[in-house]
Amino acid sequence: MKYLKYSIDPRKEKNVPINWEKIFEKKGELYVEIGFGGGEYMAEMAKKNPEANFIGFETSLTACDRAQKKFYNYNLNNVKIINHDARFCIRELFADNTISKIIVNFPCPWPKKKHESRRIFVEKFRKTLSSVLMINGSMELATDVEWYAKEVYENFKLDDHFEVEEIVENFNRPIKTRYEKKWEEDNRNKYLVKIKKIKNGNENRIILEENDMPHRHIKDINIEKITELLNKKFQFENETFVIREIFESKIKERYVLKVFTSDDDFTQDFFVNIVKREEEWLIKLEQITTPYRTPAVKYAINKIAEEIEVK
Ligand SMILES: C[S@@+](CC[C@H](N)C(=O)[O-])C[C@H]1O[C@@H](n2cnc3c(N)ncnc32)[C@H](O)[C@@H]1O
């Protein structure tokens, strides 16, 4: 389907941070929208600013689909989207001092304590913004939730990497999002928080270079050992992994392991192949489920090879 051309899968990018100029095939200021929903805001912004490049993050696949149809109908060529968590991706996919503006329109505030970690504006994300925004680069949050606006305002105010403008109540921007229209019909108040980066922060990234993700070749494997690994938790510093399922091929000497990893609070599920190749066995990532190349993924490949190798 032609309209799906706006979506990129960063797990397949050989090098991170991503070279955005190459992706867009043109230079341009980088604008980012988090949780673009139906894509109304990004489509209008991209149409009005054809010289800039827009990257949107959205966790809902349905929203990504809807937005792409809109971009296609608008005939835009300065928009890309990524169907993944913006907090992780913005940290990992952008070099320091590269983003001009980040826009967050009407995010869910996740008011319950047990859902706190789902909020966009957690401390970690402020640190990311202090790295990836350019000096004088800005972030704009529009919300219908007063306590949320105040909390974000206060947290940025306490952080000397940023300058914060006073909250604007019932602001009027030329483009309205779907949620904005909905809340206006309900006569809800809305709040705009604007911050500007004034000092560089320093963020650590975890995605590894492509060449740093090994395949392991081993002479022989202990097949019983593979089953013993099932559901056992392996941990090294902040990286953990568990093998949750094991599949055995009926047609060739091949095992596929379903592996769960975590690097701190970043979790992934993917498959690892153990496959016989002539005189040796190869342990490598199964390409159908390419994970981000994190230290936990590398640890899992190495440890599995170490555990099953006949020494
Ligand atoms: C309440 S809707 C607002 C949609 C749109 N911005 C608007 O104003 O109409 C929030 C959107 O953010 C998305 N979202 C939530 N957390 C996200 C995250 N961590 N990264 C990317 N998108 C996220 C949700 O899937 C949802 O579509």
Side-chain angles (χ1 to χ4, degrees):
M1 276 176 277
K2 282 187 199 151
Y3 70 88
L4 295 176
K5 66 177 181 174
Y6 294 100
S7 181
I8 56 175
D9 183 347
R11 288 166 296 194
K12 303 214 164 104
E13 290 298 318
K14 288 202 161 58
N15 297 303
V16 285
I18 289 181
N19 180 343
W20 293 105
E21 200 177 308
K22 200 165 148 208
I23 296 272
F24 285 102
E25 298 176 354
K26 73 175 183 62
K27 282 193 168 133
E29 276 191 274
L30 295 182
Y31 282 63
V32 168
E33 184 173 351
I34 299 177
F36 52 74
E40 309 75 22
Y41 199 83
M42 202 156 74
E44 292 292 340
M45 285 285 282
K47 194 169 136 195
K48 281 191 180 162
N49 301 281
E51 72 296 340
N53 292 328
F54 289 79
I55 302 124
F57 295 93
E58 174 55 63
T59 45
S60 152
L61 195 56
T62 319
C64 286
D65 204 48
R66 215 171 44 226
Q68 286 188 92
K69 277 186 191 146
K70 189 163 284 128
F71 303 150
Y72 189 72
N73 292 336
Y74 274 53
N75 199 19
L76 296 172
N77 58 16
N78 58 340
V79 172
K80 293 287 174 201
I81 62 160
I82 292 176
N83 175 215
H84 202 226
D85 187 333
R87 297 166 301 179
F88 174 78
C89 287
I90 293 177
R91 183 183 78 197
E92 298 292 327
L93 308 181
F94 292 87
D96 285 354
N97 295 302
T98 50
I99 303 179
S100 296
K101 186 165 183 175
I102 296 184
I103 299 146
V104 194
N105 288 324
F106 300 91
C108 177
W110 296 109
K112 289 187 183 149
K113 186 84 188 152
K114 65 176 178 184
H115 295 144
E116 210 174 15
S117 64
R118 296 186 194 172
R119 288 186 200 160
I120 304 283
F121 291 99
V122 289
E123 191 184 342
K124 271 188 177 176
F125 188 60
R126 241 184 12 258
K127 193 167 175 223
T128 297
L129 293 190
S130 73
S131 281
V132 297
L133 279 174
M134 299 168 82
I135 289 283
N136 290 327
S138 60
M139 187 286 298
E140 194 171 297
L141 161 72
T143 175
D144 56 305
V145 184
E146 189 177 11
W147 67 261
Y148 189 60
K150 285 187 172 155
E151 186 179 285
V152 173
Y153 169 90
E154 293 298 340
N155 287 338
F156 275 99
K157 212 172 164 125
L158 291 172
D159 188 328
D160 68 351
H161 296 95
F162 304 99
E163 243 171 43
V164 193
E165 289 182 21
E166 288 307 310
I167 298 176
V168 183
E169 208 172 316
N170 295 327
F171 55 87
N172 199 4
R173 298 182 300 187
I175 310 165
K176 289 192 199 298
T177 74
R178 198 158 70 90
Y179 270 79
E180 185 167 0
K181 287 181 191 156
K182 195 164 134 178
W183 302 145
E184 279 186 355
E185 276 165 21
D186 286 357
N187 287 323
R188 287 207 207 182
N189 283 335
K190 48 183 194 169
Y191 307 87
L192 194 66
V193 185
K194 282 187 181 178
I195 64 109
K196 184 167 83 177
K197 176 175 138 178
I198 52 168
K199 185 175 142 189
N200 287 328
N202 188 13
E203 178 65 291
N204 298 322
R205 273 77 173 189
I206 61 168
I207 296 185
L208 306 167
E209 298 277 323
E210 197 196 21
N211 294 341
D212 202 14
M213 184 53 62
H215 295 169
R216 289 290 305 268
H217 300 259
I218 55 182
K219 202 119 201 73
D220 203 2
I221 63 167
N222 180 338
I223 289 163
E224 277 91 69
K225 262 282 192 180
I226 300 181
T227 0
E228 282 172 28
L229 300 181
L230 191 63
N231 290 326
K232 200 169 149 190
K233 184 176 172 188
F234 292 89
Q235 174 148 22
F236 176 70
E237 294 176 351
N238 291 332
E239 292 106 49
T240 60
F241 79 91
V242 179
I243 296 167
R244 287 185 160 160
E245 279 181 88
I246 299 172
F247 306 92
E248 184 180 354
S249 170
K250 296 251 182 295
I251 50 174
K252 60 178 172 179
E253 288 185 283
R254 179 183 175 209
Y255 299 85
V256 178
L257 315 184
K258 186 175 178 211
V259 181
F260 168 85
T261 58
S262 79
D263 298 79
D264 257 333
D265 55 358
F266 180 67
T267 61
Q268 305 191 84
D269 277 300
F270 55 94
F271 292 112
V272 169
N273 262 324
I274 302 175
V275 60
K276 182 91 190 271
R277 289 274 165 83
E278 294 169 1
E279 293 306 302
E280 62 174 16
W281 288 79
L282 184 60
I283 294 102
K284 62 170 196 165
L285 292 174
E286 163 56 56
Q287 298 202 331
I288 298 170
T289 54
T290 323
Y292 290 98
R293 300 182 301 268
T294 67
V297 175
K298 181 177 175 178
Y299 168 55
I301 299 273
N302 281 331
K303 189 72 183 163
I304 291 167
E306 185 189 312
E307 290 284 323
I308 64 173
E309 184 172 17
V310 175
K311 290 171 182 121

